[in-house]
Amino acid sequence: QVHLVESGGGLVQAGGSLRLSCAASRSIFSINYMGWYRQALGKQRELVAGMTRGSNVDYADSVKGRFTISRDNAKNTLYLQMDSLKPEDTAVYLCNARAGGGYYWGQGTQVTVSS
């Protein structure tokens, strides 16, 4: 099992930046895949960015060039650097880990971008 805790959300003006963190309860070195999802009010949850154990990354088209996913295995933490934020990025952002055949989720952190 993996317990995930997100932090770093908040209110920011359009064009601003935030960095989200996802702290895991155990080593993430062996976790096959970790990612960030988001869910806006009234919309389906969508993948924002993901990273494999081998550091291959993928991004949603809507965030390419603005968001960067990274991981620090020594700190058991996944990050999402979000730059040039837009009002349409407003959502609850959730951390996800796929390990041992299971899917694990954090509780989410709210990101609100004002115009």
Side-chain angles (χ1 to χ4, degrees):
Q1 282 191 332
V2 181
H3 183 58
L4 304 170
V5 179
E6 302 96 333
S7 61
L11 174 64
V12 63
Q13 289 188 331
S17 298
L18 284 173
R19 188 176 81 154
L20 305 183
S21 299
C22 171
S25 59
R26 66 165 179 84
S27 172
I28 65 172
F29 179 77
S30 61
I31 294 179
N32 294 326
Y33 186 90
M34 295 189 75
W36 288 96
Y37 286 72
R38 67 186 179 188
Q39 188 162 18
L41 197 61
K43 295 188 177 180
Q44 287 190 330
R45 188 172 296 184
E46 61 174 353
L47 176 67
V48 175
M51 174 178 276
T52 68
R53 180 181 173 185
S55 296
N56 293 315
V57 299
D58 58 350
Y59 295 95
D61 287 344
S62 59
V63 307
K64 283 180 181 176
R66 300 189 297 122
F67 290 11
T68 304
I69 189 171
S70 63
R71 60 197 286 172
D72 186 333
N73 290 336
K75 295 183 178 180
N76 300 329
T77 301
L78 182 75
Y79 300 101
L80 185 68
Q81 177 66 41
M82 306 187 295
D83 299 317
S84 302
L85 282 160
K86 304 176 181 180
E88 51 263 44
D89 295 318
T90 295
V92 175
Y93 284 70
L94 302 107
C95 180
N96 170 261
R98 304 175 193 177
Y103 273 56
Y104 301 94
W105 295 94
Q107 83 290 345
T109 186
Q110 176 70 45
V111 172
T112 303
V113 185
S114 63
S115 57

